[in-house]
Amino acid sequence: MSASGTVSSTAALEVSGIEKRFGAVEVLRGVSMQVAPGEVLGVVGDNGAGKSTLMKVISGVHRADAGNIRLAGHDVAFRTPRDARDAGIETIYQDLALADHLDVGANIFLGREPIRRFAGLIPMLDERKIHGEVAALLGRIESHIPDPSARALDLSGGQRQAVAIARALYWKAKIVIMDEPTAALAVMETENVLKMARQLAAEGIGVLFIGHNLVEILKICDRVMVMYRGRKVFDVRCADTSQTELIRYMTGYADAETNKTEGEYQ
């Protein structure tokens, strides 16, 4: 990754010229971005900037009207979120779409449960494998879930985040989208989630970290991208910027100032 914030040609995810309209409203206007394996990219912007829509295009919820997505060097086109997940894109939403009445293991393996055959013939859920894999996963991420048999409904917000992160690790995600992952969490749980985001990156996974808390963004991310009114307006290494500069781009002030300066020289 260069000092200008660009990523090498070995990008885990590359998005080029993405456009999205809802009726007459142009929500995304030619957005391009990249994230490298093992990189945490912060995506910030005020409400209505287009962050959520961009993530939903990447994760298969919406189809772009124009533009291309490449995953690990290959062109992809997702019809559904399941397509994106099968390709290696896991999304950890703010509202944490877990099955509340299922336990930790069932949520990690949901829809992809391991099967063994009794007497070589009758298919049965391989609960022993699930329990073993879950215990190893929770140890790997140093989770604070004391009982893997607990229902998701009975877990705290930070513990639910840990389940979603363990799922992404187990299924060898190439990209993990974390949408406001620390919203409404206590301080200690926030620290644990931030640590797990870095742990995903240490496993070679590209992480898209969407948030409003600039202190967290600058602390946890390698690079930050600012969106404003459906466009990417700034992309820089976190070490080379500040909260003040990011706010100027998030509010459109820096963008307007640049356009004014360019106009003076035309």
Side-chain angles (χ1 to χ4, degrees), residues 1 12 21 47 61 75 98 101 117 152 162 175 187 197 204 223 235 242 263:
M1 188 169 58
R21 297 176 182 82
N47 292 333
V61 176
D75 290 326
L98 299 181
H101 294 284
R117 293 191 176 274
I175 293 291
V187 173
R223 189 164 51 93
D235 187 341
S242 65

Side-chain angles (χ1 to χ4, degrees), residues 8-264:
S8 74
S9 59
T10 57
L13 175 72
E14 183 176 1
V15 171
S16 303
I18 294 294
E19 298 179 7
K20 182 64 184 177
R21 297 176 182 82
F22 294 104
V25 180
E26 192 176 19
V27 182
L28 296 176
R29 300 188 285 165
V31 179
S32 297
M33 54 160 283
Q34 294 181 337
V35 59
E39 179 184 31
V40 182
L41 172 65
V43 182
V44 300
D46 209 347
N47 292 333
K51 306 184 304 297
S52 293
T53 301
L54 177 62
M55 296 307 127
K56 287 178 179 178
V57 168
I58 293 170
S59 63
V61 176
H62 297 319
R63 297 199 69 177
D65 296 317
N68 300 292
I69 299 174
R70 290 175 64 83
L71 185 64
H74 301 284
D75 290 326
V76 292
F78 304 130
R79 293 174 297 175
T80 66
R82 180 61 183 266
D83 288 346
R85 189 177 176 190
D86 288 345
I89 297 178
E90 288 278 351
T91 305
I92 301 173
Y93 291 107
Q94 181 178 346
D95 55 3
L96 288 171
L98 299 181
D100 282 341
H101 294 284
L102 296 181
D103 65 21
V104 172
N107 270 284
I108 291 174
F109 287 90
L110 189 61
R112 297 180 281 194
E113 294 85 354
I115 300 296
R116 64 182 178 87
R117 293 191 176 274
F118 178 71
L121 296 171
I122 303 171
M124 300 178 64
L125 187 66
D126 193 341
E127 294 186 0
R128 180 179 295 178
K129 180 175 181 180
I130 289 176
H131 292 157
E133 296 287 359
V134 168
L137 272 172
L138 296 182
R140 185 172 161 193
I141 64 172
E142 299 178 9
S143 166
H144 296 276
I145 300 176
D147 182 9
S149 66
R151 298 179 305 167
L153 182 66
D154 299 323
L155 300 177
S156 68
Q159 289 170 335
R160 288 167 66 89
Q161 292 281 6
V163 173
I165 289 168
R167 183 170 61 196
L169 277 173
Y170 185 79
W171 294 108
K172 295 180 171 52
K174 299 180 180 71
I175 293 291
V176 171
I177 299 170
M178 303 183 75
D179 185 7
E180 298 280 358
T182 61
L185 294 186
V187 173
M188 185 59 68
E189 289 199 314
T190 292
E191 288 299 317
N192 288 334
V193 169
L194 295 179
K195 181 178 73 175
M196 284 187 277
R198 288 303 327 176
Q199 195 163 356
L200 287 169
E203 300 271 350
I205 297 169
V207 179
L208 292 170
F209 192 102
I210 298 88
H212 284 94
N213 187 322
L214 298 182
V215 173
E216 288 180 5
I217 292 289
L218 291 174
K219 176 181 179 180
I220 198 65
C221 298
D222 300 297
R223 189 164 51 93
V224 60
M225 160 183 147
V226 181
M227 294 187 66
Y228 178 72
R229 294 185 178 177
R231 296 187 297 116
K232 180 180 78 173
V233 295
F234 195 46
D235 187 341
V236 67
R237 286 174 53 88
C238 287
D240 298 329
T241 190
S242 65
Q243 291 185 60
T244 300
E245 185 174 39
L246 293 177
I247 290 169
R248 285 165 59 86
Y249 281 97
M250 289 172 64
T251 57
Y253 184 81
D255 200 35
E257 195 174 59
T258 299
N259 291 336
K260 179 181 177 181
T261 302
E262 289 176 351
E264 290 174 352

